[in-house]
């Protein structure tokens, strides 16, 4: 029997085990084949095809206009680019809120048509029926609490959530409800560090923080933010690990200048 070099993709069991073993989980977003290939080769644990697509790729003001068609299209490209990471697709606004049946049908499309391994959706107790319906049909769900950008108009802006005692208690209680409903992990966005730490200790599924401090089981950032490719808005929690906006603009300026003075293409880049 021949032994082939089969690359195995991370599963939700690997992710849960990382919490048990105290190994931190690194997650980044990606929206296309090229970026997915690069971050997969760098050994990222989870790739989230986030609906932040709306902001950083499609140029919308917020995530609300993002559709199922947009998300499926980009998830397919990411799946083609990444062979090792667990791929989670974000369920867009109105694809799961109307009914648990709708939620299941739309979640199924991400696995069946796009090749994702899991879906993510925003919200607490009010979405727990949808989470239960999806997970009990065999589709892994990543939950998302704290600042939930699809509720931007209800929240009145991108603000830290759970600062007051009653709000913190609601987020803690929602986290437990979502775990009971079958979620395999939980994103905590823009909540005080201490609340994220308490939730991380109180539930057995991994927490993945964004603006939620260092005590979460893992971290996530929007890839365009951390690579310095999105200049419209930089939240406090974003660390820029590169400054690609400047690199891209400099490269393009050099190209334009070389074209204008006919120094590109030179002999090296021409056929004789
Ligand atoms: O859409 C997204 O990128 C997200 C992350 C910020 C967690 O939901």
């Amino acid at each position: 029997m021949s032994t082939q070099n089969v690359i195995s993709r991370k599963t939700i069991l690997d992710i849960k085990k990382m919490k048990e073993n105290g190994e931190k989980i690194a997650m980044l977003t990606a929206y296309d084949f090229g970026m997915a290939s690069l971050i997969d080769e760098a050994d990222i644990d989870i790739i989230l095809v986030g609906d932040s697509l709306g902001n950083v790729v499609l140029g919308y003001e917020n995530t609300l206009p993002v559709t199922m068609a947009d998300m499926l299209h980009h998830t397919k490209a990411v799946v083609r680019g990444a062979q090792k990471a667990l791929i989670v697709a974000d369920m867009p606004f109105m694809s799961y809120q109307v009914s648990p049946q709708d939620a299941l049908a739309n979640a199924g499309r991400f696995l069946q048509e796009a090749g994702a391994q899991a879906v993510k959706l925003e919200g607490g107790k009010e979405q727990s029926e949808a989470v239960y319906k999806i997970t009990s049909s065999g589709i892994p769900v990543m939950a998302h609490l704290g600042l939930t950008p699809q509720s931007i108009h209800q929240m009145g802006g991108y603000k830290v959530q759970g600062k007051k005692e009653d709000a913190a208690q609601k987020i803690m209680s929602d986290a437990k409800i979502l775990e009971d409903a079958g979620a395999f992990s939980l994103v905590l966005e823009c909540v005080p560090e201490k609340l994220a730490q308490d939730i991380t200790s109180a539930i057995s599924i991994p927490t993945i923080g964004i603006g939620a401090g260092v005590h979460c089981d893992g971290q996530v950032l929007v890839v365009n933010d951390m690579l310095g490719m999105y200049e419209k808005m930089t939240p406090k929690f974003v660390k820029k690990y590169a400054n690609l906006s400047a690199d891209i603009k400099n490269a393009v300026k050099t190209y334009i200048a070389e074209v204008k003075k006919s120094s590109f293409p030179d002999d090296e880049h021409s056929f004789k």
Side-chain angles (χ1 to χ4, degrees):
M1 203 175 85
S2 75
T3 48
Q4 288 180 326
N5 266 350
V6 182
I7 304 168
S8 67
R9 196 183 275 290
K10 283 213 165 70
T11 69
I12 64 161
L13 299 183
D14 297 317
I15 301 303
K16 285 180 175 173
K17 195 144 250 136
M18 288 171 82
K19 175 166 182 144
E20 283 159 32
N21 296 341
E23 186 188 341
K24 293 276 184 172
I25 299 157
M27 174 161 117
L28 279 175
T29 66
Y31 316 96
D32 62 27
F33 172 86
M35 188 63 79
S37 315
L38 291 174
I39 67 176
D40 196 53
E41 280 166 28
D43 281 338
I44 198 78
D45 297 311
I46 307 177
I47 298 180
L48 170 68
V49 190
D51 64 350
S52 47
L53 169 81
N55 306 87
V56 300
V57 176
L58 302 180
Y60 296 130
E61 278 301 306
N62 54 49
T63 57
L64 303 188
V66 176
T67 63
M68 276 296 295
D70 294 331
M71 290 305 303
L72 286 168
H73 180 70
H74 285 270
T75 303
K76 286 178 195 174
V78 167
V79 169
R80 287 192 289 269
Q83 274 79 48
K84 296 183 288 181
L86 177 80
I87 297 176
V88 180
D90 228 351
M91 298 195 67
F93 183 56
M94 282 299 118
S95 69
Y96 58 92
Q97 290 93 338
V98 177
S99 73
Q101 286 72 20
D102 258 21
L104 174 59
N106 285 321
R109 294 187 68 192
F110 282 109
L111 274 69
Q112 193 167 44
E113 295 175 35
Q117 286 80 57
V119 296
K120 177 169 85 57
L121 57 84
E122 298 177 7
K125 185 170 178 239
E126 57 291 347
Q127 297 308 335
S128 59
E129 258 190 77
V131 171
Y132 180 74
K133 183 89 183 157
I134 299 170
T135 55
S136 57
S137 303
I139 300 172
V141 173
M142 177 179 278
H144 184 158
L145 290 174
L147 172 53
T148 46
Q150 290 177 17
S151 307
I152 179 71
H153 296 307
Q154 201 168 39
M155 292 180 161
Y158 296 102
K159 297 173 180 160
V160 177
Q161 303 294 308
K163 287 211 273 193
K164 294 210 176 113
E165 188 51 36
D166 55 343
Q169 272 172 18
K170 161 100 172 94
I171 297 174
M172 170 65 87
S173 141
D174 280 347
K176 291 176 181 166
I177 290 169
L178 291 164
E179 176 177 24
D180 289 345
F184 79 94
S185 60
L186 171 65
V187 167
L188 290 172
E189 179 164 355
C190 279
V191 299
E193 190 174 50
K194 176 71 170 70
L195 175 60
Q197 183 175 20
D198 291 346
I199 294 172
T200 301
S201 311
I203 61 178
S204 64
I205 56 173
T207 58
I208 301 180
I210 173 161
V214 76
H215 302 292
C216 293
D217 298 304
Q219 297 294 325
V220 56
L221 284 175
V222 168
V223 74
N224 300 54
D225 287 340
M226 60 87 73
L227 292 178
M229 289 171 75
Y230 184 68
E231 294 177 319
K232 221 170 146 188
M233 182 174 81
T234 307
K236 173 181 157 70
F237 57 76
V238 170
K239 178 171 176 185
K240 289 193 181 178
Y241 288 83
N243 191 357
L244 294 195
S245 290
D247 290 349
I248 291 168
K249 282 187 233 169
N250 285 337
V252 172
K253 279 191 176 146
T254 306
Y255 166 74
I256 294 169
E258 291 189 1
V259 169
K260 302 277 179 192
K261 63 179 190 225
S262 297
S263 65
F264 176 84
D266 53 10
D267 282 353
E268 193 191 335
H269 300 97
S270 302
F271 301 104
K272 294 289 168 195

